[in-house]
Amino acid sequence: MASGRKRIGEMLVETGLLSEEELTRALSTQRTRRGKLGETIVSLGMATEDEIAQAISLQLGIPLIDLVNTPVEPQAIELIPEKVARKHRIVPVSLEDRDLHIAMADPLSFEAFEDVRFASGFTIKTSIATPSSILWAIDQHYNLGSSLDTIVKDIAEERLVEVVQDTREGDRRDSEDLRKKSEAAPIVRMVNLFIAEAVDQGASDIHVEPSKTTMLVRNRVDGVLRKSLELPKWVQGAVISRIKIMAKMDIAEKRLPQDGRIGVRVGGKSLDLRVSTMPASFGEKVVIRILDSANSHIPLESMGMSEAELQMLEELIRRPQGILLVTGPTGSGKTTTLYAGLNKIKSLERNITTIEDPIEYEIAGINQVAVQEKIGLSFASTLRAMLRQDPDVIMLGEMRDLDTTTIAMQAALTGHLVLSTIHTNSSAATITRLRNLGVPSYLIASTLIAIVAQRLVRVICPKCRVKVQPSERDLARIGLAKSNNGEIAFFQGQGCQACGGTGYRGRTGIFEILPFHQQMRDLVMGNGSETDIRQLAVAKGMVTLGQAALAKVKDGVTTLAELYRVVETEQEFGAGCPKCGVSLGADFVVCPGCGHSLVSSCPSCRKMISPHWKFCPYCRHNFVGVARKRSFA
């Protein structure tokens, strides 16, 4: 608290905002009107509220805040009665440990300072705001019911989101008092709105992102973020506090990341929400992962595999032992594929156990264990203990370190079937990843039965699907010539209400299955390169991710744009043959379709040369006036 010896009028003169004559005139008018000096100065047109606040801030070294763009925490508002706030023109802003941060119109008011400290019982930290912004903030935050009506007026009452409370008594008593502080009806309805809307859209995640002047809510639908709501900055504190209390987080902790979970029912559907908070430059960002237990019952046949791929995968998951790895980036459906496989093979005769971090979906008839690193229950230690539980099939959430991977491979050698995931770009790249972890090539060759790389592509909305003509450049990127374009019909969605204007509705999988036959085991054991492994797999009939995506395009399931978004086209397709348009690999020297030579060589010394050279730098052969011969030596 700054000293009260110096008066506001003196400070305004010292900063040059007022002259001595103007101050004398303002004081004389104030005595007549019996009002506050600041209001009198503004009414006389000598200075604005903002100019006065800036001058006081500069003189006292107290920060000036904009309450319209400052999030105010409901737990801070609860500490100070509205009557006290209006009397002294103050607004409680936030709590930090035992400090209550408040905004004051007059930071030199000792009476206001003492009344607030007595009412709250906290140490007071002050900032300055204009009187009009303080009165506006009091109206907003002490009367949320009326101030938020315009924001939530379109929320239908039937969009009920029921929080399924935990039955643990210790948590219930502690959270009841906190819950009351953020359960103002409009805030509850607002949070319910974007949760229900995300569920209706089939979103996998909700992003609550504070910016400098607003708070943006976005939903990840079909793997792509969409804007849902844009809320005013001042509701940020209340909204984030509501989410934290629902997830049983510490609402006072804003400097460290936190994790929590919420069980909810939306329209009769039970969902599990995983909540993560992260401190950012404009406040805490919140991400809510929506886990729908219905996804754990998706049949393997609905994953988007071809008949041949489905038959191959069913044979693999029925093997008595070995390791089946599913690879791909985060959000590519790896866990859903493993769950679908487990549902396919579960039976009373098999002991199936999973180790997950965390358990995403509960599956009847399967033993599921959640990793808890804080108490030493890691993937590796749990896997060691599980091997003494007489398992037939083990699903390991992720192979993330050498210890876990080695134990999993030992389990495969001792007669167990292990299903797991790993993060790589392709099936062949998984071998390189395992070697980088420190797994010897002979162990990889003797334990792996197959590697499945997968991605998810968006499906064209059936209600706004139309035929389109792709450009020559788009066709060339996937090795198709314009001449054979007529044989293929290309489609895309125009955008409608059913698909939210995106042209896509739902997703399907594309798969690249690399089975381990004896020739592949020999190549891996001999430390074969990633390129050699891929070439052998393709020669043996492996359908690559690019080919699987192109098949979906040709079938009218997805678009060329989606293929380019999901698949690395250069690696998958390379360039197209200039004569026949067949897709070419990066290291091809001749077109496999028509035999056209792809490499320029000197007709004299047979060394490879640039097509732009006029002389051979190796034998001095002159190309000027001589037709360039293309061949490969």
Side-chain angles (χ1 to χ4, degrees), residues 535-553:
Q535 287 178 347
L536 176 61
V538 170
K540 288 287 186 179
M542 181 184 79
V543 177
T544 67
L545 285 171
Q547 292 168 344
L550 185 56
K552 298 285 186 187
V553 173

Side-chain angles (χ1 to χ4, degrees), residues 355-585:
I355 307 174
E356 303 173 64
D357 181 24
I359 296 172
E360 293 195 16
Y361 308 113
E362 295 179 1
I363 306 177
I366 292 177
N367 307 293
Q368 295 174 273
V369 180
V371 169
Q372 300 182 59
E373 296 282 356
K374 292 181 180 179
I375 61 172
L377 193 65
S378 63
F379 273 110
S381 61
T382 308
L383 185 54
R384 283 193 188 93
M386 188 176 291
L387 292 175
R388 297 190 288 271
Q389 293 281 311
D390 186 32
D392 295 306
V393 180
I394 300 171
M395 192 200 97
L396 191 61
E398 182 184 349
M399 288 192 174
R400 56 177 64 170
D401 54 53
L402 177 60
D403 196 13
T404 305
T405 305
T406 303
I407 299 168
M409 290 188 168
Q410 293 296 334
L413 288 173
T414 54
H416 304 90
L417 177 64
V418 180
L419 311 179
S420 188
T421 69
I422 194 168
H423 292 283
T424 59
N425 290 330
S426 65
S427 52
T430 304
I431 307 298
T432 305
R433 169 66 176 151
L434 292 172
R435 288 170 177 167
N436 289 340
L437 282 175
V439 182
S441 294
Y442 73 87
L443 195 56
I444 299 172
S446 57
T447 55
L448 261 62
I449 57 175
I451 302 169
V452 180
Q454 75 174 78
R455 301 287 190 277
L456 293 176
V457 294
R458 292 182 291 174
V459 175
I460 300 171
C461 175
K463 293 191 176 181
C464 59
R465 182 172 177 262
V466 294
K467 193 172 182 179
V468 294
Q469 178 66 42
S471 67
E472 191 170 352
R473 179 177 177 274
D474 285 342
L475 291 171
R477 287 178 65 182
I478 55 172
L480 291 177
K482 201 165 187 179
S483 57
N484 56 15
N485 180 25
E487 303 170 8
I488 307 170
F490 296 91
F491 297 90
Q492 71 177 31
Q494 287 184 310
C496 62
Q497 187 175 0
C499 60
T502 63
Y504 299 96
R505 193 173 184 184
R507 288 188 292 179
T508 188
I510 55 172
F511 300 87
E512 177 181 281
I513 303 178
L514 171 60
F516 268 56
H517 42 73
Q518 191 56 49
Q519 196 173 350
M520 182 62 70
R521 295 185 193 280
D522 293 341
L523 180 59
V524 172
M525 194 175 296
N527 291 318
S529 69
E530 186 177 316
T531 302
D532 292 339
I533 292 169
R534 181 180 177 82
Q535 287 178 347
L536 176 61
V538 170
K540 288 287 186 179
M542 181 184 79
V543 177
T544 67
L545 285 171
Q547 292 168 344
L550 185 56
K552 298 285 186 187
V553 173
K554 291 178 177 179
D555 291 340
V557 175
T558 191
T559 63
L560 277 177
E562 192 67 3
L563 181 152
Y564 300 143
R565 185 182 72 87
V566 173
V567 177
E568 296 180 23
T569 52
E570 285 188 12
Q571 179 184 352
E572 287 288 337
F573 300 104
C577 175
K579 281 197 171 181
C580 68
V582 168
S583 176
L584 304 174

Side-chain angles (χ1 to χ4, degrees), residues 247-322:
K248 295 185 174 62
M249 295 178 176
D250 182 0
I251 58 175
E253 180 56 75
K254 298 178 284 292
R255 298 168 298 177
L256 297 173
Q258 295 189 68
D259 294 307
R261 60 181 295 176
I262 313 168
V264 297
R265 273 192 288 269
V266 182
K269 182 187 292 186
S270 295
L271 302 168
D272 191 16
L273 309 182
R274 303 291 166 84
V275 183
S276 170
T277 66
M278 176 68 67
S281 55
F282 298 112
E284 289 179 283
K285 176 180 177 178
V286 181
V287 176
I288 304 173
R289 169 64 59 89
I290 303 173
L291 300 176
D292 186 352
S293 58
N295 292 336
S296 65
H297 303 295
I298 295 177
L300 205 57
E301 294 80 4
S302 301
M303 296 296 295
M305 299 179 188
S306 65
E307 287 294 331
E309 290 170 337
L310 182 61
Q311 184 179 354
M312 185 185 302
L313 193 58
E314 286 189 4
E315 290 175 359
L316 290 168
I317 60 177
R318 296 187 187 279
R319 295 272 186 93
Q321 65 186 60

